Amino acid sequence: MLIIKLSSLGDVVHAMPAVMDIQAAFPNAQIDWVVERDFAPLAARCAAVQRVIACDLRRWRKSFFKTDTHLSTCAEWRAFKVEVQKEAYDVILDLQGLTKSALVVWLTRKTKGGKRYALANRTDGSAYERPTRWVADVAVPITPHIHAVARGRVMCAKALGYDVSAHLNYGLGLAGAQRKPLVALVHGTSREDKEWPLAHWFDIGARLKKMGLDVALPHGNEAEHLRSTALAEMLPGGVVWPRLSLDQLTTEMAQCTGVIGVDSGLSHIAVALDLPHVQIYNFDTAWRTGPQDSARQRSVVDCPTPTVDGVWDAWLACFKSQSGPS
């Protein structure tokens, strides 16, 4: 079987339970995954995945018409095409629902009797483009108002004829790793309207210190590094992590006592790692992408932004639950 879920980081995380469901229903199936190269290390960590096929569609699209990169881009595209066509698949599942994923599906090879599956319709809050249906043999209808994790799980279950399990498994083997007295503060996000005020992060960090917990401060660009450094200077004992790869970040986060973060890919990884976690939303999209385990992991939603007390109360509830069943 071949999974097509290219990006973004949060979407890749949200697809993992569907992949684990397939393995549970078909234990002997080989499951391969096509994904953007930046997210390939995370897809490779999913226990159900045998082979990860990395692509660079984002970069190729930008560089294809540039004179100085055209030839190298064409060569990389041809190499990717060879890689994705090495195997003929009985089942090809487009979990992305976009033109770029439809292009990858179009390249794939089917076995005799094999089928390509795609979403039949758009779901609330998610992008959807019609070419995904044009290249599919079977278009799977999905109820429009559905969580991002459930969307992939339901589509795969309908396509392959099994029931969605009540058990949610992301397949990350680092879940349950030895924990350090650190709470990662995921303050970075690619969207300014998802940010939480610096003063609020300081207040949360100070409260964590009083609990005997230090803070770990990840960052992915220079602006986030400056913010992490400023927080560490205000919070003695705060640890500014070096710039880490996605693989390294996942390993480091797995060893934290918990995570408090804005709606971002790293926060979704915290969910997949089954860490006590609070996810901060400035507008109500938590129903679609937020944590589903209301005991260990909670969303806090408010406009223009959640209060420190609201986030803190949610953290205390999640932290206290960690000694109970997960």
Side-chain angles (χ1 to χ4, degrees):
M1 300 187 189
L2 183 65
I3 302 295
I4 315 292
K5 188 72 167 184
L6 304 171
S7 60
S8 59
L9 178 53
D11 291 339
V12 170
V13 175
H14 291 149
M16 288 180 171
V19 179
M20 294 302 298
D21 288 349
I22 293 171
Q23 185 192 54
F26 304 97
N28 296 322
Q30 174 179 321
I31 304 174
D32 298 344
W33 190 335
V34 182
V35 67
E36 283 279 351
R37 190 172 306 278
D38 287 347
F39 312 125
L42 190 65
R45 283 182 179 265
C46 183
V49 176
Q50 274 74 43
R51 183 167 73 112
V52 172
I53 305 169
C55 67
D56 292 284
L57 285 176
R58 286 175 169 178
R59 180 170 59 82
W60 293 336
R61 186 176 56 207
K62 295 176 182 177
S63 62
F64 184 79
F65 295 104
K66 294 181 179 179
T67 304
D68 58 337
T69 57
H70 177 76
L71 291 178
S72 61
T73 299
C74 287
E76 290 174 9
W77 169 256
R78 286 193 295 269
F80 167 68
K81 183 178 177 181
V82 168
E83 189 68 20
V84 85
Q85 292 180 344
K86 274 185 179 178
E87 301 275 354
Y89 293 96
D90 299 315
V91 174
I92 299 157
L93 293 150
D94 179 1
L95 301 188
Q96 194 90 54
L98 299 177
T99 300
K100 62 181 180 180
S101 57
L103 174 62
V104 176
V105 172
W106 178 72
L107 288 176
T108 59
R109 291 196 303 122
K110 298 185 296 181
T111 59
K112 185 178 180 179
K115 290 184 178 179
R116 299 181 173 110
Y117 297 88
L119 293 162
N121 56 280
R122 178 183 178 276
T123 57
D124 296 343
S126 296
Y128 179 80
E129 294 169 348
R130 290 190 179 275
T132 190
R133 294 186 62 176
W134 299 344
V135 298
D137 299 305
V138 180
V140 181
I142 302 291
T143 182
H145 196 76
I146 191 169
H147 192 280
V149 171
R151 183 174 81 154
R153 298 185 79 193
V154 170
M155 177 190 157
C156 292
K158 282 189 172 185
L160 302 179
Y162 59 84
D163 294 327
V164 176
S165 169
H167 178 59
L168 185 64
N169 181 11
Y170 287 82
L172 287 182
L174 288 174
Q178 185 66 38
R179 302 284 168 79
K180 300 176 182 178
L182 280 175
V183 176
L185 301 185
V186 177
H187 55 80
T189 170
S190 59
R191 286 176 48 178
E192 187 175 339
D193 60 352
K194 290 184 177 182
E195 292 179 357
W196 206 42
L198 184 65
H200 288 10
W201 286 116
F202 168 71
D203 197 341
I204 283 290
R207 296 187 192 197
L208 289 168
K209 287 287 293 181
K210 289 181 179 179
M211 288 182 71
L213 297 169
D214 286 321
V215 299
L217 299 158
H219 56 91
N221 55 45
E222 187 56 30
E224 291 174 12
H225 180 252
L226 291 173
R227 195 183 305 132
S228 289
T229 302
L231 284 167
E233 289 174 352
M234 293 187 289
L235 297 166
V239 179
V240 178
W241 282 342
R243 187 75 62 85
L244 300 171
S245 69
L246 181 59
D247 203 34
Q248 292 168 324
L249 271 170
T250 302
T251 299
E252 291 297 322
M253 284 179 58
Q255 299 174 58
C256 288
T257 293
V259 175
I260 299 173
V262 293
D263 173 22
S264 70
L266 289 187
S267 286
H268 299 309
I269 290 175
V271 173
L273 290 168
D274 196 31
L275 294 169
H277 172 54
V278 178
Q279 206 161 116
I280 300 166
Y281 286 83
N282 296 338
F283 35 83
D284 189 12
T285 53
W287 68 265
R288 186 174 65 86
T289 59
Q292 296 177 284
D293 180 350
S294 60
R296 293 173 63 81
Q297 301 166 337
R298 296 191 179 187
S299 303
V300 181
V301 184
D302 207 349
C303 183
T305 198
T307 65
V308 175
D309 285 341
V311 172
W312 183 249
D313 288 345
W315 165 254
L316 290 178
C318 294
F319 180 73
K320 290 174 182 176
S321 74
Q322 68 179 329
S323 59
S326 60

